[in-house]
Amino acid sequence: MKKHIIPHSYHLQKADRTKLNGHNAFLIWFTGLSGSGKSTIANLVEKALFEKGIKTYSLDGDNIRGGINKDLSFAPEDRTENIRRIAEVANLMIDAGLVVLAAFVSPYKKDRQNIRTIVKDVNFVEVYINTSIEECERRDVKGLYKKARAGEIKNMTGISAPYEVPQNPDIIIKTEHESIDVSVAKIIDLIIPKLELNNE
Ligand code: ADP
């Protein structure tokens, strides 16, 4: 905390908000290659939680890179700053009592570790969407792989930039071997006990 920035003592704390909501607040972080299925699965997990009356919010490239992070590129140092800011935003949302879903490639181990530090270990659920680069390139949802192969995009994860595989994720989803519905159900099963207020 900077000198002369004296924290205000708020009347309401996270615990008051989670009690009002009737569930815990935490971050579900989806990591994996572009086109691996992060957004597809995260959106369906959010829908399932919403239908159970859980207060949620989704962060992804669309609402982050177009706004708070529009000054950042895909160079390694900017990617690190991108993830740091997202983690800080997620941290505020957790404090606000929300279950936050974040779908970002987040290729560097140290950046994902930093998220864990910012939001605290207990608030971090890491979902590794493990889809092979071959399958992601075959899907090429956004046409990015084609552009990367043509040299039009630099720093494309899996092609010209590394993806550091998570060592100890809370769950691994293999989209080439199971349906979207099965993946969503597995994640929901993992999440349900964490929503219980007395499990915080
Ligand atoms: P990302 O957010 O990781 O970049 P997207 O969710 O935007 O990826 O795109 C993944 C694509 O893969 C979608 O078109 C989706 O329909 C397709 N797909 C095929 N099988 C699966 C699966 N089992 N799980 C998730 N996505 C799948």
Side-chain angles (χ1 to χ4, degrees), residues 33-41 139 141 175 178-180:
L33 296 170
S34 176
S36 58
K38 300 180 297 297
S39 309
T40 304
I41 293 171
R139 291 179 190 168
V141 192
T175 68
E178 65 192 34
S179 71
I180 296 177

PDB file of all heavy atoms in Angstrom, residues 33-41 139 141 175 178-180, ligand 1:
ATOM      1  N   LEU A  33      -5.253 -23.348 -25.108  1.00  0.00           N
ATOM      2  CA  LEU A  33      -4.935 -22.719 -26.390  1.00  0.00           C
ATOM      3  C   LEU A  33      -6.147 -21.988 -26.971  1.00  0.00           C
ATOM      4  O   LEU A  33      -7.293 -22.299 -26.605  1.00  0.00           O
ATOM      5  CB  LEU A  33      -4.476 -23.795 -27.384  1.00  0.00           C
ATOM      6  CG  LEU A  33      -3.174 -24.526 -27.036  1.00  0.00           C
ATOM      7  CD1 LEU A  33      -2.990 -25.726 -27.977  1.00  0.00           C
ATOM      8  CD2 LEU A  33      -1.981 -23.580 -27.131  1.00  0.00           C
ATOM      9  N   SER A  34      -5.897 -21.072 -27.880  1.00  0.00           N
ATOM     10  CA  SER A  34      -6.990 -20.409 -28.592  1.00  0.00           C
ATOM     11  C   SER A  34      -7.776 -21.476 -29.368  1.00  0.00           C
ATOM     12  O   SER A  34      -7.180 -22.304 -30.053  1.00  0.00           O
ATOM     13  CB  SER A  34      -6.409 -19.370 -29.558  1.00  0.00           C
ATOM     14  OG  SER A  34      -7.443 -18.795 -30.297  1.00  0.00           O
ATOM     15  N   GLY A  35      -9.072 -21.465 -29.225  1.00  0.00           N
ATOM     16  CA  GLY A  35      -9.908 -22.449 -29.911  1.00  0.00           C
ATOM     17  C   GLY A  35     -10.047 -23.757 -29.157  1.00  0.00           C
ATOM     18  O   GLY A  35     -10.690 -24.705 -29.637  1.00  0.00           O
ATOM     19  N   SER A  36      -9.475 -23.834 -27.965  1.00  0.00           N
ATOM     20  CA  SER A  36      -9.540 -25.100 -27.213  1.00  0.00           C
ATOM     21  C   SER A  36     -10.949 -25.366 -26.689  1.00  0.00           C
ATOM     22  O   SER A  36     -11.335 -26.522 -26.474  1.00  0.00           O
ATOM     23  CB  SER A  36      -8.537 -25.084 -26.046  1.00  0.00           C
ATOM     24  OG  SER A  36      -8.788 -23.988 -25.186  1.00  0.00           O
ATOM     25  N   GLY A  37     -11.725 -24.302 -26.486  1.00  0.00           N
ATOM     26  CA  GLY A  37     -13.092 -24.470 -25.989  1.00  0.00           C
ATOM     27  C   GLY A  37     -13.368 -23.728 -24.690  1.00  0.00           C
ATOM     28  O   GLY A  37     -14.424 -23.911 -24.076  1.00  0.00           O
ATOM     29  N   LYS A  38     -12.447 -22.873 -24.283  1.00  0.00           N
ATOM     30  CA  LYS A  38     -12.594 -22.146 -23.008  1.00  0.00           C
ATOM     31  C   LYS A  38     -13.899 -21.358 -22.937  1.00  0.00           C
ATOM     32  O   LYS A  38     -14.677 -21.525 -21.995  1.00  0.00           O
ATOM     33  CB  LYS A  38     -11.418 -21.167 -22.802  1.00  0.00           C
ATOM     34  CG  LYS A  38     -10.049 -21.814 -22.763  1.00  0.00           C
ATOM     35  CD  LYS A  38      -8.950 -20.788 -22.548  1.00  0.00           C
ATOM     36  CE  LYS A  38      -8.816 -19.759 -23.654  1.00  0.00           C
ATOM     37  NZ  LYS A  38      -8.447 -20.296 -24.975  1.00  0.00           N
ATOM     38  N   SER A  39     -14.133 -20.502 -23.943  1.00  0.00           N
ATOM     39  CA  SER A  39     -15.324 -19.631 -23.896  1.00  0.00           C
ATOM     40  C   SER A  39     -16.598 -20.450 -23.990  1.00  0.00           C
ATOM     41  O   SER A  39     -17.563 -20.192 -23.257  1.00  0.00           O
ATOM     42  CB  SER A  39     -15.300 -18.630 -25.057  1.00  0.00           C
ATOM     43  OG  SER A  39     -14.078 -17.977 -25.090  1.00  0.00           O
ATOM     44  N   THR A  40     -16.598 -21.421 -24.875  1.00  0.00           N
ATOM     45  CA  THR A  40     -17.791 -22.267 -25.054  1.00  0.00           C
ATOM     46  C   THR A  40     -18.172 -22.923 -23.739  1.00  0.00           C
ATOM     47  O   THR A  40     -19.334 -22.872 -23.306  1.00  0.00           O
ATOM     48  CB  THR A  40     -17.493 -23.360 -26.114  1.00  0.00           C
ATOM     49  OG1 THR A  40     -17.060 -22.716 -27.315  1.00  0.00           O
ATOM     50  CG2 THR A  40     -18.704 -24.228 -26.395  1.00  0.00           C
ATOM     51  N   ILE A  41     -17.191 -23.523 -23.088  1.00  0.00           N
ATOM     52  CA  ILE A  41     -17.465 -24.256 -21.845  1.00  0.00           C
ATOM     53  C   ILE A  41     -17.754 -23.270 -20.705  1.00  0.00           C
ATOM     54  O   ILE A  41     -18.726 -23.454 -19.962  1.00  0.00           O
ATOM     55  CB  ILE A  41     -16.295 -25.214 -21.517  1.00  0.00           C
ATOM     56  CG1 ILE A  41     -16.242 -26.317 -22.593  1.00  0.00           C
ATOM     57  CG2 ILE A  41     -16.438 -25.818 -20.119  1.00  0.00           C
ATOM     58  CD1 ILE A  41     -15.025 -27.206 -22.548  1.00  0.00           C
ATOM     59  N   ARG A 139      -9.947 -26.626 -35.948  1.00  0.00           N
ATOM     60  CA  ARG A 139     -11.169 -25.846 -35.686  1.00  0.00           C
ATOM     61  C   ARG A 139     -11.014 -24.409 -36.205  1.00  0.00           C
ATOM     62  O   ARG A 139     -11.923 -23.860 -36.783  1.00  0.00           O
ATOM     63  CB  ARG A 139     -11.454 -25.777 -34.177  1.00  0.00           C
ATOM     64  CG  ARG A 139     -11.867 -27.079 -33.567  1.00  0.00           C
ATOM     65  CD  ARG A 139     -12.095 -26.894 -32.056  1.00  0.00           C
ATOM     66  NE  ARG A 139     -12.276 -28.167 -31.379  1.00  0.00           N
ATOM     67  CZ  ARG A 139     -12.261 -28.319 -30.058  1.00  0.00           C
ATOM     68  NH1 ARG A 139     -12.061 -27.280 -29.274  1.00  0.00           N
ATOM     69  NH2 ARG A 139     -12.432 -29.511 -29.526  1.00  0.00           N
ATOM     70  N   VAL A 141     -11.393 -21.481 -35.078  1.00  0.00           N
ATOM     71  CA  VAL A 141     -12.659 -20.757 -34.902  1.00  0.00           C
ATOM     72  C   VAL A 141     -12.583 -19.320 -35.408  1.00  0.00           C
ATOM     73  O   VAL A 141     -13.498 -18.825 -36.049  1.00  0.00           O
ATOM     74  CB  VAL A 141     -13.056 -20.728 -33.398  1.00  0.00           C
ATOM     75  CG1 VAL A 141     -14.475 -20.267 -33.215  1.00  0.00           C
ATOM     76  CG2 VAL A 141     -12.837 -22.085 -32.753  1.00  0.00           C
ATOM     77  N   THR A 175     -11.373 -31.962 -24.546  1.00  0.00           N
ATOM     78  CA  THR A 175     -12.534 -31.756 -25.427  1.00  0.00           C
ATOM     79  C   THR A 175     -12.543 -32.707 -26.625  1.00  0.00           C
ATOM     80  O   THR A 175     -13.571 -32.874 -27.251  1.00  0.00           O
ATOM     81  CB  THR A 175     -12.604 -30.301 -25.951  1.00  0.00           C
ATOM     82  OG1 THR A 175     -11.507 -30.085 -26.843  1.00  0.00           O
ATOM     83  CG2 THR A 175     -12.559 -29.293 -24.819  1.00  0.00           C
ATOM     84  N   GLU A 178     -14.441 -35.954 -24.915  1.00  0.00           N
ATOM     85  CA  GLU A 178     -15.759 -35.917 -24.254  1.00  0.00           C
ATOM     86  C   GLU A 178     -16.591 -34.775 -24.804  1.00  0.00           C
ATOM     87  O   GLU A 178     -16.052 -33.804 -25.344  1.00  0.00           O
ATOM     88  CB  GLU A 178     -15.603 -35.816 -22.738  1.00  0.00           C
ATOM     89  CG  GLU A 178     -14.966 -34.530 -22.275  1.00  0.00           C
ATOM     90  CD  GLU A 178     -14.560 -34.567 -20.798  1.00  0.00           C
ATOM     91  OE1 GLU A 178     -14.169 -35.635 -20.298  1.00  0.00           O
ATOM     92  OE2 GLU A 178     -14.631 -33.502 -20.173  1.00  0.00           O
ATOM     93  N   SER A 179     -17.914 -34.899 -24.648  1.00  0.00           N
ATOM     94  CA  SER A 179     -18.814 -33.888 -25.207  1.00  0.00           C
ATOM     95  C   SER A 179     -18.776 -32.627 -24.352  1.00  0.00           C
ATOM     96  O   SER A 179     -18.339 -32.648 -23.192  1.00  0.00           O
ATOM     97  CB  SER A 179     -20.241 -34.429 -25.252  1.00  0.00           C
ATOM     98  OG  SER A 179     -20.737 -34.516 -23.937  1.00  0.00           O
ATOM     99  N   ILE A 180     -19.271 -31.552 -24.927  1.00  0.00           N
ATOM    100  CA  ILE A 180     -19.345 -30.274 -24.200  1.00  0.00           C
ATOM    101  C   ILE A 180     -20.190 -30.463 -22.942  1.00  0.00           C
ATOM    102  O   ILE A 180     -19.807 -30.010 -21.853  1.00  0.00           O
ATOM    103  CB  ILE A 180     -19.930 -29.176 -25.116  1.00  0.00           C
ATOM    104  CG1 ILE A 180     -18.993 -28.928 -26.306  1.00  0.00           C
ATOM    105  CG2 ILE A 180     -20.167 -27.883 -24.330  1.00  0.00           C
ATOM    106  CD1 ILE A 180     -19.482 -27.918 -27.328  1.00  0.00           C
TER     107      ILE A 180
HETATM  108  P1  ADP B   1     -11.441 -20.532 -26.860  1.00  0.00           P
HETATM  109  O1  ADP B   1     -12.348 -19.695 -25.994  1.00  0.00           O
HETATM  110  O2  ADP B   1     -10.648 -21.547 -26.088  1.00  0.00           O
HETATM  111  O3  ADP B   1     -10.591 -19.745 -27.800  1.00  0.00           O
HETATM  112  P2  ADP B   1     -13.898 -21.247 -28.217  1.00  0.00           P
HETATM  113  O4  ADP B   1     -14.784 -21.717 -27.118  1.00  0.00           O
HETATM  114  O5  ADP B   1     -14.085 -19.843 -28.733  1.00  0.00           O
HETATM  115  O6  ADP B   1     -12.373 -21.468 -27.773  1.00  0.00           O
HETATM  116  O7  ADP B   1     -13.992 -22.218 -29.464  1.00  0.00           O
HETATM  117  C1  ADP B   1     -13.924 -23.605 -29.323  1.00  0.00           C
HETATM  118  C2  ADP B   1     -14.613 -24.264 -30.528  1.00  0.00           C
HETATM  119  O8  ADP B   1     -14.476 -25.673 -30.419  1.00  0.00           O
HETATM  120  C3  ADP B   1     -16.087 -23.933 -30.607  1.00  0.00           C
HETATM  121  O9  ADP B   1     -16.425 -23.695 -31.939  1.00  0.00           O
HETATM  122  C4  ADP B   1     -16.733 -25.236 -30.098  1.00  0.00           C
HETATM  123  O10 ADP B   1     -18.022 -25.443 -30.629  1.00  0.00           O
HETATM  124  C5  ADP B   1     -15.756 -26.283 -30.593  1.00  0.00           C
HETATM  125  N1  ADP B   1     -15.773 -27.536 -29.830  1.00  0.00           N
HETATM  126  C6  ADP B   1     -15.879 -28.774 -30.366  1.00  0.00           C
HETATM  127  N2  ADP B   1     -15.910 -29.734 -29.414  1.00  0.00           N
HETATM  128  C7  ADP B   1     -15.820 -29.072 -28.234  1.00  0.00           C
HETATM  129  C8  ADP B   1     -15.810 -29.505 -26.878  1.00  0.00           C
HETATM  130  N3  ADP B   1     -15.923 -30.815 -26.544  1.00  0.00           N
HETATM  131  N4  ADP B   1     -15.696 -28.562 -25.922  1.00  0.00           N
HETATM  132  C9  ADP B   1     -15.609 -27.255 -26.244  1.00  0.00           C
HETATM  133  N5  ADP B   1     -15.620 -26.768 -27.499  1.00  0.00           N
HETATM  134  C10 ADP B   1     -15.720 -27.673 -28.498  1.00  0.00           C
END
